[in-house]
């Protein structure tokens, strides 16, 4: 859909759902030359010429569509319905448009095992504007030839937390029917408004014994954005027992408790539950249930275009199985055939706590992890400091004098800052582009002192003001914006200029710095300056330089990058995370002194790779895709 159309709706039209729906329905009917004779719902949404203001808006919208050469077909209509959800509601409900190819693929494979499609009952328990139910109804119609009136009444079920989304689903299904010459006075729908986490289907459907299939795209809402009315309901679901669960997680259990025996669930959802802390309970749930589970993992492929999400398709059959089937999809144009193109992993092989390694190379991964001791037993990692407003505290001086550094704000105001009030700081995330710390070194205002234990203690207001009056005056000018930190809790900080978090403020002597995410083997920079701070990125803390120098050789190897590419969380553009959670189980080979000396002296990366792979007992050919 052309972004100009979205912009037109955003700037030129009413924000009331009913007004927008009338515009879109009227434009769709007109664009597709559909005459409504009987259907009362659609007739009530048609804008008449006598409704002057609305009709003028309709003409303007039709002109915009024509100017941008956009035909308002059904897919564009579905996308527009999803787009015009308010930004506030989108954050709370996690609504997003699912592309037709994905919906059709899910519906096709959910329906293929049913020998009597006329008896299928299909539900979407977070239906949004009805895209999945549209696709399901269309598929049932093609397979059975039944009327849409009967399909809607007997086979299609939907639920959404927003009333306007349910209304749009009714409109979309009605438009589907009338587009295929089924224009009845009124359709009977099984579409309900409610919260899926507390909704009781038995109270709405007589003799309810579960659906044949449940399809959909569970809401993409991170834990911190879950609505206050929904948050307490998470405790009712076993799969939400660990960490801070995102909203999509309970939808696995909700679906399984509302699908028939041998029924099937087809979701496109986040893939973070494979590894995340908040996914431990859902992993344990599936392992305990031991039911049929097929996963198509999109990794870093972006299914939803401009929305950065990391997704997978889950097909869950409510029948006993000892195994999970897994496929890593590298091309959205080549979705796999179910029951082919998959490899099998036993539930017994998958740990709940550490996370699921579903790679086809999982035997090699296990072999690497069995070598020596796990990384987490030998090394600690640290995240950088967290001021929660780096642009205030961190700066690059545009000039300096004997006593002062000089900074310039975005507004162009110049301030002098005492040199003794500052510490050097670097951002290791920039080590994807730079190979030394010199080019990325900055200054940070540091209103702390180090006690006898070398731990950072915040200065009092009076101490800071008297010791560093220039730095104090500068931060005083920023006090209002500092108070907005941490969702407005910054105003409660005592003193007001303290950093948002106290992490990594102490002196760290030997540290190996590297970026949090990277598209390739990064630059690992060894630093032994205890006064150097860092923000963003990661640091591995060592006892001495030698052990970190040896570790750097290991982490720069082909074998380690293979491990990361197979086990880490992928990000867009084939970036991978190097955070502690993804390297903690990597086996550290116990090099003897002679082997360490070889690694430290050798500069040929190929020879280093071959040497390390020999130590681990793994051939280079095993590390190829």
């Amino acid at each position: 859909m052309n972004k100009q159309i979205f912009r037109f709706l955003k700037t030129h039209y009413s924000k009331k759902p009913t007004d927008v729906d009338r515009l879109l329905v009227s434009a769709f009917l007109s664009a597709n030359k559909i005459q409504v004779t009987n259907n009362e719902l659609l007739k009530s949404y048609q804008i008449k010429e006598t409704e002057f203001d609305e009709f003028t808006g309709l003409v303007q919208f039709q002109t915009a569509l024509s100017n941008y050469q956009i035909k308002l077909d059904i897919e564009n209509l579905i996308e527009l319905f999803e787009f015009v959800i308010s930004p506030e509601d989108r954050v709370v409900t996690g609504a997003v448009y699912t592309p037709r190819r994905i919906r059709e693929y899910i519906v096709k494979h959910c329906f293929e095992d049913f020998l009597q499609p006329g008896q299928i009952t299909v539900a979407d328990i977070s239906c949004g504007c009805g895209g999945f139910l549209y696709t399901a109804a269309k598929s049932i119609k093609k397979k059975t030839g039944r009327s849409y009136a009967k399909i809607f009444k007997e086979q299609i079920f939907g639920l959404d937390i927003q009333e306007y989304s349910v209304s749009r689903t009714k409109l979309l299904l009605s438009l589907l029917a009338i587009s295929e010459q089924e224009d009845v006075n009124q359709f009977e729908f099984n579409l309900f408004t409610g919260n899926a986490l507390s909704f009781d289907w038995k109270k709405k459907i007589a003799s309810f014994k579960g659906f044949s299939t449940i399809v959909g795209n569970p809401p993409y809402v991170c834990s911190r954005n879950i609505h206050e009315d929904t948050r307490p309901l998470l405790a009712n679901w076993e799969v939400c027992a660990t960490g801070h669960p995102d909203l999509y997680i309970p939808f696995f259990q909700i679906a399984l408790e509302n699908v028939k025996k041998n029924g099937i669930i087809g979701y496109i959802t986040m893939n973070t539950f494979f590894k995340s802390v908040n996914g431990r309970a859902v992993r344990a749930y599936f392992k305990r249930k031991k039911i049929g589970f097929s996963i198509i993992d999109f990794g870093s492929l972006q299914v939803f275009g401009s929305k950065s999400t990391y997704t997978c398709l889950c097909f869950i059959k409510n029948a006993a199985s000892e195994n999970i089937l897994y496929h890593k999809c590298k091309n959205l144009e080549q979705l796999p055939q179910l029951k082919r193109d998959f490899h099998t992993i036993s539930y017994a092989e998958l740990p709940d706590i550490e996370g699921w390694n579903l790679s086809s190379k999982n035997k090699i991964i296990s072999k690497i992890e069995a070598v020596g001791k796990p990384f987490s037993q030998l090394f600690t990692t640290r995240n950088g400091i967290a001021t929660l407003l780096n642009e205030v505290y961190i700066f690059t001086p545009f000039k300096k004098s004997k006593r002062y550094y000089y900074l310039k704000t975005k507004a162009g105001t110049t301030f002098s800052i005492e040199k003794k009030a500052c510490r050097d700081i670097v951002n290791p995330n920039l080590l994807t582009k730079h190979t030394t710390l010199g080019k990325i070194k900055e200054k940070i205002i540091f209103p702390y002192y180090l006690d006898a234990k070398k731990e950072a203690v915040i200065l009092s207001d009076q101490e800071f003001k008297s010791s560093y009056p220039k730095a104090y005056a500068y931060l005083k000018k920023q006090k209002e914006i500092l108070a907005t930190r941490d969702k407005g809790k910054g105003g409660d900080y005592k003193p007001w200029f303290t950093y948002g978090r106290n992490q990594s403020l102490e002196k760290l002597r030997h540290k190996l710095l590297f970026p949090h995410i990277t598209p390739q083997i990064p630059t690992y920079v060894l630093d032994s300056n205890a006064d150097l701070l860092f923000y963003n990125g990661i640091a591995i803390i060592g006892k001495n330089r030698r052990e970190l120098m040896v570790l750097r050789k290991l982490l720069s190897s082909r074998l380690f990058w293979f491990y990361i590419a197979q086990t880490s969380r992928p990000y867009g553009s084939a970036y991978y995370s190097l955070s502690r959670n993804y390297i903690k189980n990597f086996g550290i080979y116990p090099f003897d002194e002679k082997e360490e000396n070889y690694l430290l002296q050798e500069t040929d990366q190929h020879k280093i790779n071959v040497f390390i792979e020999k130590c681990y007992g793994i051939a280079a050919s095993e590390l190829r895709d």
Side-chain angles (χ1 to χ4, degrees):
M1 174 63 67
N2 190 299
K3 292 182 180 178
Q4 298 294 336
I5 294 300
F6 293 147
R7 193 172 294 119
F8 173 89
L9 288 171
K10 187 176 182 179
T11 57
H12 289 86
Y13 214 71
S14 168
K15 301 300 186 292
K16 294 180 180 178
T18 302
D19 291 345
V20 176
D21 294 348
R22 280 169 57 80
L23 172 74
L24 297 180
V25 168
S26 298
F28 177 84
L29 292 170
S30 175
N32 292 278
K33 297 180 172 54
I34 296 173
Q35 182 69 39
V36 182
T37 303
N38 300 313
N39 191 273
E40 295 297 334
L41 177 64
L42 294 179
K43 285 198 294 185
S44 71
Y45 275 79
Q46 283 188 287
I47 297 172
K48 302 177 180 63
E49 290 188 30
T50 54
E51 296 167 311
F52 182 76
D53 289 341
E54 284 189 278
F55 190 78
T56 299
L58 173 61
V59 172
Q60 291 174 340
F61 182 57
Q62 290 171 320
T63 301
L65 290 170
S66 177
N67 289 342
Y68 296 116
Q69 298 181 322
I70 295 173
K71 177 174 172 52
L72 191 56
D73 59 20
I74 202 79
E75 284 302 314
N76 284 335
L77 180 66
I78 295 171
E79 192 171 358
L80 284 168
F81 272 153
E82 297 290 1
F83 170 78
V84 293
I85 293 174
S86 72
E88 293 82 7
D89 286 345
R90 194 181 301 277
V91 169
V92 172
T93 65
V96 64
Y97 166 75
T98 306
R100 180 177 66 183
R101 178 193 291 122
I102 298 297
R103 299 197 317 268
E104 290 178 348
Y105 184 85
I106 289 174
V107 168
K108 174 186 175 183
H109 289 290
C110 282
F111 285 2
E112 65 181 3
D113 287 341
F114 291 102
L115 300 178
Q116 297 178 300
Q119 295 181 11
I120 292 173
T121 51
V122 58
D124 184 346
I125 58 176
S126 56
C127 67
C129 299
F132 271 96
L133 296 180
Y134 164 88
T135 301
K138 198 171 175 66
S139 177
I140 293 171
K141 173 74 170 179
K142 184 177 181 179
K143 288 175 179 290
T144 65
R146 301 186 85 204
S147 69
Y148 280 117
K150 288 186 176 180
I151 292 170
F152 298 160
K153 180 180 179 180
E154 300 172 6
Q155 296 184 262
I156 298 294
F157 299 82
L159 172 69
D160 198 84
I161 198 167
Q162 293 291 354
E163 186 174 353
Y164 60 71
S165 291
V166 174
S167 296
R168 287 169 181 167
T169 301
K170 292 178 181 179
L171 290 169
L172 182 64
L173 295 178
S174 299
L175 290 170
L176 167 61
I178 201 168
S179 296
E180 298 185 22
Q181 291 75 52
E182 191 170 331
D183 181 9
V184 301
N185 190 56
Q186 188 173 343
F187 291 111
E188 190 173 336
F189 294 110
N190 296 292
L191 302 172
F192 307 102
T193 302
N195 190 322
L197 277 71
S198 58
F199 191 81
D200 188 347
W201 287 97
K202 292 178 181 178
K203 292 182 179 180
K204 295 294 182 179
I205 303 172
S207 305
F208 179 71
K209 295 181 179 179
F211 301 110
S212 302
T213 187
I214 294 177
V215 296
N217 184 353
Y220 295 2
V221 182
C222 67
S223 58
R224 67 178 178 273
N225 289 329
I226 295 175
H227 194 275
E228 59 183 12
D229 292 339
T230 296
R231 194 172 289 117
L233 301 175
L234 296 172
N236 298 329
W237 300 96
E238 175 186 339
V239 295
C240 296
T242 53
H244 300 285
D246 298 332
L247 190 54
Y248 77 92
I249 285 179
F251 279 79
F252 287 116
Q253 186 177 355
I254 295 169
L256 271 168
E257 293 189 6
N258 286 289
V259 73
K260 292 179 179 178
K261 185 176 177 59
N262 294 314
I264 189 166
I265 299 157
Y267 276 166
I268 178 168
T269 191
M270 303 289 287
N271 61 16
T272 51
F273 73 93
F274 300 169
K275 298 278 187 179
S276 64
V277 171
N278 67 16
R280 286 176 178 171
V282 75
R283 293 193 295 269
Y285 175 80
F286 281 121
K287 191 171 183 178
R288 178 177 64 78
K289 298 281 284 186
K290 289 187 177 178
I291 53 177
F293 199 165
S294 298
I295 297 173
I296 300 170
D297 184 10
F298 292 124
S300 61
L301 286 177
Q302 293 300 299
V303 174
F304 297 108
S306 61
K307 188 176 179 66
S308 293
T309 51
Y310 304 96
T311 56
C312 62
L313 302 185
C314 296
F315 294 94
I316 307 166
K317 189 165 186 177
N318 193 11
S321 175
E322 296 292 326
N323 303 312
I324 287 178
L325 301 180
Y326 177 83
H327 176 86
K328 183 69 172 287
C329 186
K330 298 181 179 180
N331 187 338
L332 292 177
E333 302 296 326
Q334 297 176 349
L335 290 167
Q337 294 297 311
L338 287 186
K339 301 175 184 175
R340 290 174 18 200
D341 305 327
F342 284 73
H343 74 271
T344 302
I345 308 162
S346 168
Y347 276 110
E349 296 177 46
L350 299 173
D352 310 332
I353 302 299
E354 291 82 359
W356 287 356
N357 174 32
L358 301 171
S359 164
S360 60
K361 303 283 188 177
N362 61 322
K363 290 183 179 178
I364 302 173
I365 297 302
S366 297
K367 189 174 181 178
I368 293 172
E369 293 180 342
V371 169
K373 292 183 178 180
F375 173 91
S376 61
Q377 290 185 19
L378 298 174
F379 298 97
T380 60
T381 59
R382 302 294 290 270
N383 294 316
I385 69 164
T387 69
L388 300 192
L389 206 62
N390 288 340
E391 59 267 35
V392 169
Y393 292 93
I394 298 173
F395 66 100
T396 300
F398 71 91
K399 69 175 182 176
K400 59 186 176 180
S401 63
K402 186 175 181 179
R403 294 181 58 196
Y404 300 108
Y405 295 120
Y406 296 88
L407 71 81
K408 185 177 291 185
T409 67
K410 289 182 179 179
T413 306
T414 299
F415 291 90
S416 55
I417 309 293
E418 292 87 355
K419 285 185 175 181
K420 290 184 178 180
C422 299
R423 293 263 297 270
D424 286 338
I425 191 166
V426 294
N427 177 2
N429 278 347
L430 298 177
L431 292 175
T432 57
K433 298 179 181 178
H434 300 279
T435 58
T436 63
L437 298 182
K439 291 185 178 180
I440 63 173
K441 199 169 286 187
E442 301 170 278
K443 302 297 178 184
I444 182 168
I445 299 171
F446 190 73
Y448 295 80
Y449 69 91
L450 298 178
D451 64 13
K453 296 180 180 179
K454 304 299 183 184
E455 294 180 351
V457 179
I458 190 72
L459 294 167
S460 69
D461 191 284
Q462 185 57 42
E463 287 172 329
F464 186 30
K465 185 176 182 179
S466 61
S467 299
Y468 310 112
K470 299 287 189 180
Y472 182 89
Y474 162 70
L475 289 182
K476 190 78 170 179
K477 289 281 188 181
Q478 318 300 322
K479 188 173 181 179
E480 282 191 24
I481 190 171
L482 289 174
T484 66
R485 290 179 293 168
D486 210 4
K487 296 183 178 180
K489 296 178 183 177
D492 299 327
Y493 291 175
K494 298 194 183 328
W496 53 269
F497 48 79
T498 188
Y499 294 167
R501 305 284 184 268
N502 290 325
Q503 64 198 42
S504 301
L505 295 179
E506 72 276 27
K507 289 195 173 189
L508 301 171
R509 181 78 186 280
H510 303 296
K511 48 191 177 288
L512 193 63
L513 299 163
F514 55 97
H516 173 241
I517 62 171
T518 175
Q520 59 193 7
I521 298 171
T523 298
Y524 298 91
V525 176
L526 178 56
D527 180 79
S528 295
N529 177 6
D531 290 322
L532 179 70
L533 297 171
F534 71 101
Y535 68 104
N536 299 330
I538 302 172
I540 297 172
I541 310 304
K543 295 186 290 291
N544 54 62
R545 285 183 64 86
R546 181 181 173 89
E547 75 167 357
L548 289 180
M549 290 170 69
V550 173
L551 181 64
R552 177 168 58 182
K553 292 281 188 171
L554 180 57
L555 299 187
S556 299
S557 69
R558 178 170 58 196
L559 181 138
F560 179 73
W561 186 250
F562 164 84
Y563 180 85
I564 287 297
Q566 296 294 325
T567 65
S568 175
R569 175 184 174 180
Y571 288 80
S573 303
Y575 276 68
Y576 290 91
S577 172
L578 294 176
S579 67
R580 181 182 182 279
N581 194 46
Y582 301 118
I583 63 176
K584 65 182 180 181
N585 296 320
F586 181 78
I588 303 295
Y589 184 84
F591 299 110
D592 61 27
E593 185 176 1
K594 182 179 178 181
E595 290 167 330
E596 286 184 352
N597 287 336
Y598 171 79
L599 284 173
L600 294 176
Q601 293 167 13
E602 182 58 67
T603 58
D604 186 313
Q605 188 60 52
H606 174 71
K607 290 180 180 180
I608 294 172
N609 286 336
V610 172
F611 173 77
I612 288 174
E613 288 153 16
K614 184 177 180 181
C615 290
Y616 280 77
I618 293 172
S621 60
E622 296 180 273
L623 304 182
R624 301 190 190 105
D625 286 339

